Amino acid sequence: MKPGFLKLRWLATLAVAAVALPLALAAREVPAATAAAHANTGSAKGLGQLTGLLPREKLVLESALQVDLSHDTVRLPLYKGTANGKTVWFVLTEASDLGLAHNSGLNYAPKLANIAIGCPDCIQVVNIASPTPDENKFGPAVVHFQGAPDFSPTRKLVPGPNGFPPASFQPGAVAGSGYSPFIRIAGSDVVYNAPIVATGDGPFDVTSHTNTGDRVLGIHIAPPSPPGQFLESWVDLLLVKGFDAGQPILYLSTDAGDPLASVLERSTFVPALAKAAYNGGDDFLGSSRERLFGFLNGQTGANNEQAQGFVHLVQDGHASEDASAANTALIDALRKGGDLLNVFGDFPTLKDPRHSQAYSPLWDAQLGQWTQKAIDEGFNKRQIDENVVFNLAATRPDLITGPGGAPYGSVGIDINCAVIGFIDEAPTANLVEPAPNSQFPPR
């Protein structure tokens, strides 16, 4: 781990949390009342379909080729580019323009138009090649990036005494000079989410990830297309499970503005994103972010349906191991509930356009820490709805706080998380109405 990483605010805050509430971070046993009600039901309960292919009508990212729930992967079209004279491969997930998003089967994310406010490095201006007819009868043109991730570092996560916070860590991918996953084509105002997931011309390392992202489990590069046909390249990426408006959802995690977050999320550390507009904003003027709700010290246990959060991920989700198609123990643990199981805010399927069109893949982390009282009295259960979390934070500060007892809210970490689909039913509305003064604007 580079010495400079220790100076970052989040790790310092978490260290305070570990000292302030060691019993909370160590809490692995389910409180007696909860255990009696939910014994041996399994953490997969409430996650919906666990095997087979996800029906296409449950995809929100329409360009996804398939979601394989048995292997916890999404298959996305893979596009060719260059950076610094070398080949790179990227995916597309969002666009800030409605028409262009629909045309390409991407998620519509109008907030991305604000991402460069106060942060010009948060956008990478790219150029597109102009191939001749002989070079390209039909198909995508090569995109020329200014920078790319360096996938060569070895991802490391050494668990601490209670799993989390870790004893040490190191991101497995770090942004090179000029790199951001959010791109704007020279001459256009539209912002796309286009994370680079592999570099070079192969072979691709999908085991220890020396030239691929840490969630890349498989890559297929298509041969030249026959006349009148288009053969598509694709990449299989490890999914993440979470919740929105009470429903289980699927998403990707490709980039983070904090090194520890990038390790936990198996994503590329992009320091510039920490300045994206802006911490704690969400619904306010000029924000490019949406809220994400995570829990430092939720319940743990592979057979506990209330398990959730950072300690759970490290203890039960094989967080210290490399992800690969061959690591079936890791994949099975994650698909059955061993993930962070974060809660999201706005989602593309919500009935109210004020919420569906407020979606952004750039998630502003609001991290909760259950107090010892909450643990002792069995209130530290799995959360699945934004308003429920907000209401708890606003009305029961004796149960949930920010890290180390700090006021609940944004902790200054953002993560690039494109939503893929929903597993059971589409999220349509929050489970409860917001309590007075619990958030703004009122819901």
Side-chain angles (χ1 to χ4, degrees):
M1 178 175 63
K2 296 181 179 180
F5 290 169
L6 291 173
K7 298 179 182 179
L8 291 174
R9 180 173 59 182
W10 192 32
L11 186 57
T13 303
L14 294 177
V16 172
V19 173
L21 283 176
L23 292 177
L25 288 172
R28 185 175 178 84
E29 296 183 359
V30 185
T34 305
H38 303 291
N40 300 319
T41 53
S43 62
K45 185 176 177 63
L47 294 179
Q49 181 183 347
L50 294 177
T51 60
L53 297 182
L54 186 74
R56 289 206 61 85
E57 62 266 23
K58 296 186 178 183
L59 294 173
V60 295
L61 182 63
E62 295 177 356
S63 59
L65 302 177
Q66 68 174 35
V67 169
D68 184 344
L69 296 172
S70 298
H71 298 95
D72 219 27
T73 58
V74 58
R75 180 168 294 176
L76 297 182
L78 188 64
Y79 303 102
K80 188 175 184 178
T82 66
N84 303 314
K86 298 181 179 180
T87 303
V88 300
W89 301 91
F90 67 98
V91 297
L92 287 168
T93 56
E94 277 85 18
S96 63
D97 178 87
L98 178 62
L100 294 177
H102 286 177
N103 183 62
S104 299
L106 308 180
N107 296 322
Y108 175 45
K111 280 184 180 177
L112 289 184
N114 294 330
I115 194 170
I117 296 174
C119 183
D121 292 339
C122 288
I123 284 189
Q124 181 177 184
V125 178
V126 304
N127 291 281
I128 293 184
S130 297
T132 68
D134 287 338
E135 292 171 329
N136 187 33
K137 295 300 182 185
F138 58 91
V142 174
V143 175
H144 301 298
F145 292 81
Q146 296 181 36
D150 177 5
F151 295 119
S152 65
T154 299
R155 177 184 176 273
K156 297 179 181 178
L157 191 154
V158 178
N162 301 310
F164 185 87
S168 62
F169 63 92
Q170 174 178 286
V174 179
S177 177
Y179 177 72
S180 170
F182 299 104
I183 66 170
R184 179 176 63 80
I185 302 168
S188 171
D189 293 329
V190 178
V191 177
Y192 293 89
N193 191 5
I196 292 174
V197 297
T199 55
D201 297 303
F204 295 102
D205 177 5
V206 294
T207 302
S208 54
H209 307 289
T210 55
N211 59 359
T212 64
D214 288 318
R215 289 189 175 272
V216 174
L217 303 191
I219 288 182
H220 166 73
I221 304 301
S225 297
Q229 299 182 41
F230 173 65
L231 303 182
E232 193 158 41
S233 299
W234 49 257
V235 58
D236 284 341
L237 295 162
L238 181 67
L239 287 164
V240 193
K241 292 186 175 181
F243 293 96
D244 193 290
Q247 295 295 331
I249 63 168
L250 299 166
Y251 65 100
L252 278 178
S253 185
T254 54
D255 312 271
D258 176 273
L260 179 51
S262 74
V263 173
L264 295 170
E265 298 280 346
R266 303 181 187 273
S267 62
T268 299
F269 173 38
V270 186
L273 294 184
K275 299 180 181 179
Y278 50 85
N279 290 325
D282 194 357
D283 298 316
F284 292 84
L285 180 67
S287 175
S288 63
R289 304 189 189 191
E290 180 52 53
R291 288 179 285 249
L292 174 151
F293 306 85
F295 295 87
L296 296 178
N297 59 333
Q299 293 186 30
T300 63
N303 294 317
N304 176 13
E305 70 177 70
Q306 300 299 336
Q308 182 178 44
F310 290 66
V311 179
H312 169 55
L313 175 71
V314 176
Q315 292 188 355
D316 306 315
H318 297 247
S320 62
E321 301 172 16
D322 285 332
S324 69
N327 191 345
T328 55
L330 179 150
I331 292 171
D332 284 345
L334 294 177
R335 73 183 183 87
K336 293 178 180 178
D339 241 322
L340 287 169
L341 301 178
N342 291 322
V343 180
F344 283 5
D346 294 324
F347 194 81
T349 62
L350 294 174
K351 287 184 176 180
D352 186 346
R354 176 247 182 270
H355 297 298
S356 62
Q357 295 182 20
Y359 163 76
S360 170
L362 192 62
W363 297 93
D364 186 64
Q366 302 198 1
L367 301 182
Q369 180 169 292
W370 296 107
T371 66
Q372 194 60 49
K373 177 180 179 180
I375 295 169
D376 292 341
E377 298 183 10
F379 287 104
N380 60 331
K381 296 181 179 181
R382 180 183 292 176
Q383 300 299 306
I384 60 175
D385 181 82
E386 173 188 31
N387 279 358
V388 172
V389 177
F390 264 130
N391 290 355
L392 272 172
T395 65
R396 296 301 305 271
D398 59 322
L399 300 180
I400 187 172
T401 69
Y408 188 87
S410 176
V411 297
I413 298 168
D414 56 347
I415 309 163
N416 185 9
C417 297
V419 297
I420 303 299
F422 51 91
I423 305 175
D424 192 6
E425 300 293 332
T428 57
N430 289 110
L431 300 182
V432 299
E433 291 297 315
N437 303 315
S438 65
Q439 55 182 301
F440 181 87
R443 299 277 170 128

